[in-house]
């Protein structure tokens, strides 16, 4: 029995990380759909950002519903991990199949309803899958499994944009620049079938359900819990809101930026390599952060900090080459990767220091992108935001739940609700982009769409400040500073 507790249950875990892959795949697919819907439905930029809004608001609504139900009945205790996770997958399958009538009716609100349904299923999956990954083996290796799952999630975001780009526009000599909504049907039918297959597989797997002892630990003494008693938590909730919002808004508005005259009027069919590079930047960062969880010598650890990002960048280039995209302009990007590696060495495993340095670095990247007159270089400053966001999630989480003790479970659920930021902040940036429609001369010599990247700049500023200030809060409470293991949302 003891050896089973120590060893990771790889058969179960591999089936679970497919779910993490789906989250990433659909997340980046949204970024392909935004410029497509904008063109087909003749939307303003802020209207096109309703795609992100529908998807990420579903996380918030799903978490609220799950939380309210759990006040009456403990869902995981009553139905277990397998059935709850399978239900989430089936709900996402329903959302995927709704893309078919939405495309037939050519209805943008129907598409948003379909995306919201997929996201609602994802919220259930997210609530179950994160703790389940930790429980699939020894608690001491739980962080390893979450980091690996986070890396798979990032792999899904990286290739999702490329695969959907191929499915919608084709590749090579057969590539087309115009799109019919009919072309959206098949990829989402396949996705829906995949959700059902994984749900069935999950239901018949040997995943164990939570023990009754856990219920006592979770519910005991939490009735006096008040968020305002914990500044690290409510400031951390704002941190998660801004972090997810910044992560999403940079890429959700990138197609509009690249479509401006300043940035070369790049069309919808040519956008997927840039989306893949952005999400690939998060993959590079998370794979790099994952090196910290392995017990290696300093020399090996240092070597891996360079080797692993190089491999991840190779995956991005390889996937784009396979799709017959011209990525010759990407070969300058390792300059930003080396800068990221340097900052990660300085931050080490210290959550506050890492968050502060990465927040400051991201702020400088956004500022450089705003003032750089060479737009060929400026776009990479904006895309590099993905590198500096990549390992912020565990840092914010570690700081926000520090000292919460028996209330850690409730605090975590409030933090997950703040994924809502991914639906709100892109709308703010999108509304700034739309000023170009009435004031085409721009501001400070650049277009309003270009200037809109002041929004992620402000996001990085808050995240850097939280990394600086939160350890001071914890110190006043007599709490030792927390280490971060690397990983990601």
């Amino acid at each position: 029995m003891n050896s089973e507790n120590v060893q990771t249950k790889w058969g179960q875990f591999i089936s679970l990380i497919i779910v993490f892959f789906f989250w990433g795949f659909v997340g980046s697919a949204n970024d392909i759909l935004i410029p497509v819907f904008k063109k087909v439905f003749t939307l303003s930029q802020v209207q096109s950002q309703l795609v992100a809004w529908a998807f990420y608001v579903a996380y918030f609504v799903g978490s609220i519903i799950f939380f309210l139900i759990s006040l009456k009945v403990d869902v995981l205790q009553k139905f277990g991990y397998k059935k709850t996770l399978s239900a989430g997958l089936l709900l996402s399958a329903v959302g995927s199949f709704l893309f078919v009538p939405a495309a037939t009716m050519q209805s943008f609100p129907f598409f948003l309803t379909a995306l919201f349904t997929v996201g609602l299923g994802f919220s259930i999956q997210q609530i179950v899958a994160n703790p389940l990954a930790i429980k699939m083996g020894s608690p001491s290796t739980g962080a390893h499994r979450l980091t690996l799952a986070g890396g798979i999630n990032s792999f899904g975001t990286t290739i999702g944009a490329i695969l959907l780009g191929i499915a919608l526009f084709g590749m090579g000599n057969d590539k087309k620049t115009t799109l019919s909504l009919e072309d959206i049907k098949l990829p989402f039918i396949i996705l829906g079938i995949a959700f059902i297959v994984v749900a069935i597989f999950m239901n018949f797997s040997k995943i164990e359900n939570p023990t009754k002892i856990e219920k006592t630990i979770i519910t005991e003494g939490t009735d006096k819990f008040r968020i305002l008693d914990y500044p690290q938590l409510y400031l951390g909730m704002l941190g998660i809101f801004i972090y997810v919002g910044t992560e999403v808004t940079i890429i959700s508005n990138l197609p509009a930026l690249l479509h401006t005259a300043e940035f070369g009027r790049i069309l919808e069919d040519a956008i997927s390599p840039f989306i893949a590079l952005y999400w690939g930047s998060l993959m590079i960062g998370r794979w790099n952060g994952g090196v910290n969880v392995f017990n290696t010598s300093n020399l090996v650890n240092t070597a891996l900090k360079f080797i692993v990002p190089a491999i991840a960048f190779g995956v991005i280039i390889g996937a784009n080459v396979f799709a017959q995209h011209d990525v010759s302009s990407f070969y300058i990007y390792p300059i930003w990767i080396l800068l990221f590696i340097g900052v990660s060495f300085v931050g080490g495993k210290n959550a506050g220091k890492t968050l502060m340095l990465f927040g400051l670095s991201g702020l400088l990247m956004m500022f450089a992108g705003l003032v750089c007159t060479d737009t060929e270089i400026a776009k990479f400053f904006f895309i590099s935001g993905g590198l500096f966001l990549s390992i912020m999630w565990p840092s914010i989480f570690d700081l926000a739940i520090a000292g919460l003790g028996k209330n850690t479970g409730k605090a975590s659920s409030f933090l997950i609700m703040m994924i809502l930021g991914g639906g709100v902040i892109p709308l703010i940036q999108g509304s700034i982009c739309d000023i170009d429609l009435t004031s085409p001369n721009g501001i400070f010599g650049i277009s309003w769409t270009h200037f809109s990247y002041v929004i992620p700049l402000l996001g990085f500023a808050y995240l850097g400040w939280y990394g600086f200030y939160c350890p001071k809060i914890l110190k006043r409470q007599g709490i030792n500073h927390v280490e971060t293991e690397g990983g990601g949302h």
Side-chain angles (χ1 to χ4, degrees):
M1 184 74 174
N2 188 42
S3 64
E4 188 171 290
N5 285 340
V6 172
Q7 292 173 355
T8 296
K9 296 157 187 168
W10 286 108
Q12 298 174 24
F13 182 64
I14 288 168
S15 63
L16 181 67
I17 59 177
I18 294 170
V19 178
F20 282 80
F21 176 85
F22 278 147
W23 296 344
F25 186 93
V26 177
S28 68
N30 289 345
D31 302 318
I32 293 285
L33 294 176
I34 286 170
V36 168
F37 287 160
K38 184 181 178 183
K39 186 173 183 179
V40 172
F41 294 112
T42 322
L43 305 172
S44 68
Q45 184 60 15
V46 72
Q47 287 172 329
S48 73
Q49 294 306 302
L50 289 171
V51 171
W53 179 84
F55 185 68
Y56 289 99
V57 163
Y59 273 95
F60 178 75
V61 173
S63 298
I64 290 285
I65 293 170
F66 197 93
F67 179 74
L68 292 174
I69 291 172
S70 69
L71 294 176
K72 297 286 184 183
V73 56
D74 192 322
V75 177
L76 292 181
Q77 291 288 338
K78 187 172 178 66
F79 300 105
Y81 287 126
K82 288 190 295 188
K83 287 183 180 176
T84 310
L85 195 57
S86 296
L89 284 159
L90 291 174
L91 188 55
S92 291
V94 170
S96 299
F97 292 136
L98 285 176
F99 272 79
V100 176
T104 302
M105 295 169 64
Q106 298 196 2
S107 167
F108 183 56
F110 205 151
F111 275 118
L112 295 182
T113 304
L115 266 174
F116 180 84
T117 309
V118 173
L120 213 54
F122 278 9
S123 71
I124 297 170
Q125 296 164 42
Q126 182 97 255
I127 289 165
V128 180
N130 282 293
L132 188 54
I134 293 172
K135 293 174 189 295
M136 286 184 165
S138 167
S140 65
T141 56
H144 294 61
R145 287 187 292 280
L146 263 185
T147 300
L148 179 56
I152 296 297
N153 173 270
S154 297
F155 180 64
T157 56
T158 303
I159 69 165
I162 291 172
L163 290 179
L164 189 62
I166 292 172
L168 296 181
F169 297 104
M171 54 193 273
N173 294 329
D174 297 325
K175 195 171 182 183
K176 55 186 177 181
T177 55
T178 55
L179 181 79
S180 163
L181 290 178
E182 291 292 314
D183 298 324
I184 289 173
K185 290 181 179 179
L186 183 59
F188 281 91
I189 289 172
I190 294 169
L191 188 64
I193 292 169
F195 281 132
I196 292 171
V197 169
V198 176
I200 293 168
F201 184 73
M202 279 286 173
N203 214 35
F204 289 100
S205 69
K206 295 180 179 178
I207 293 171
E208 294 158 16
N209 286 320
T211 61
K212 296 298 176 188
I213 301 168
E214 289 174 333
K215 186 178 179 182
T216 310
I217 294 170
I218 291 168
T219 57
E220 184 183 299
T222 56
D223 52 333
K224 294 180 182 177
F225 172 63
R226 289 188 305 177
I227 292 175
L228 292 178
D229 289 341
Y230 302 98
Q232 67 268 41
L233 176 58
Y234 61 75
L235 293 174
M237 287 169 66
L238 182 57
I240 291 289
F241 182 92
I242 289 173
Y243 159 74
V244 179
T246 302
E247 178 187 289
V248 175
T249 200
I250 289 174
I251 191 61
S252 290
N253 289 286
L254 190 73
L257 178 74
L258 298 183
H259 191 59
T260 61
E262 285 173 279
F263 284 79
R265 295 211 180 278
I266 296 171
L267 298 175
E268 291 78 13
D269 62 295
I271 207 74
S272 65
F274 298 99
I275 293 170
L277 181 62
Y278 176 76
W279 290 114
S281 296
L282 280 109
M283 179 176 72
I284 290 167
R286 287 169 184 172
W287 286 15
N288 180 69
V291 170
N292 284 340
V293 304
F294 299 106
N295 189 20
T296 58
S297 67
N298 286 339
L299 182 63
V300 172
N301 184 276
T302 302
L304 287 173
K305 287 281 189 177
F306 288 93
I307 294 167
V308 170
I311 293 170
F313 185 63
V315 169
I316 300 164
I317 296 297
N320 275 296
V321 168
F322 167 77
Q324 298 180 26
H325 295 143
D326 177 13
V327 289
S328 56
S329 65
F330 288 10
Y331 295 129
I332 193 176
Y333 199 64
I335 293 171
W336 283 271
I337 297 172
L338 287 170
L339 183 61
F340 159 79
I341 293 169
V343 176
S344 71
F345 273 123
V346 179
K349 292 186 178 183
N350 184 306
K353 191 177 179 183
T354 296
L355 191 56
M356 179 182 69
L357 289 171
F358 276 57
L360 182 61
S361 299
L363 184 155
L364 292 173
M365 292 304 107
M366 296 303 109
F367 181 74
L370 285 166
V371 299
C372 182
T373 54
D374 184 344
T375 54
E376 280 297 309
I377 303 296
K379 66 188 174 200
F380 291 117
F381 279 117
F382 293 135
I383 289 170
S384 73
L387 288 168
F388 297 101
L389 286 162
S390 61
I391 56 176
M392 281 188 173
W393 174 274
S395 298
I396 300 167
F397 230 91
D398 284 350
L399 291 166
I401 64 175
L404 270 291
K406 61 193 174 187
N407 292 313
T408 299
K410 275 195 172 180
S412 297
S413 69
F414 284 118
L415 289 166
I416 293 292
M417 288 176 194
M418 291 298 103
I419 290 175
L420 174 69
V424 176
I425 292 178
L427 290 175
I428 298 170
Q429 187 174 352
S431 64
I432 295 174
C433 295
D434 280 338
I435 300 175
D436 274 328
L437 299 174
T438 54
S439 180
N441 293 328
I443 182 174
F444 304 130
I446 60 175
S447 67
W448 281 98
T449 301
H450 191 172
F451 177 74
S452 73
Y453 276 81
V454 74
I455 296 298
L457 183 151
L458 294 173
F460 277 115
Y462 177 83
L463 295 167
W465 174 81
Y466 179 69
F468 167 75
Y469 185 65
C470 191
K472 297 181 184 300
I473 296 170
L474 299 179
K475 195 174 180 180
R476 286 200 296 268
Q477 296 175 1
I479 299 166
N480 287 329
H481 190 44
V482 201
E483 285 193 347
T484 181
E485 295 276 6
H489 159 59

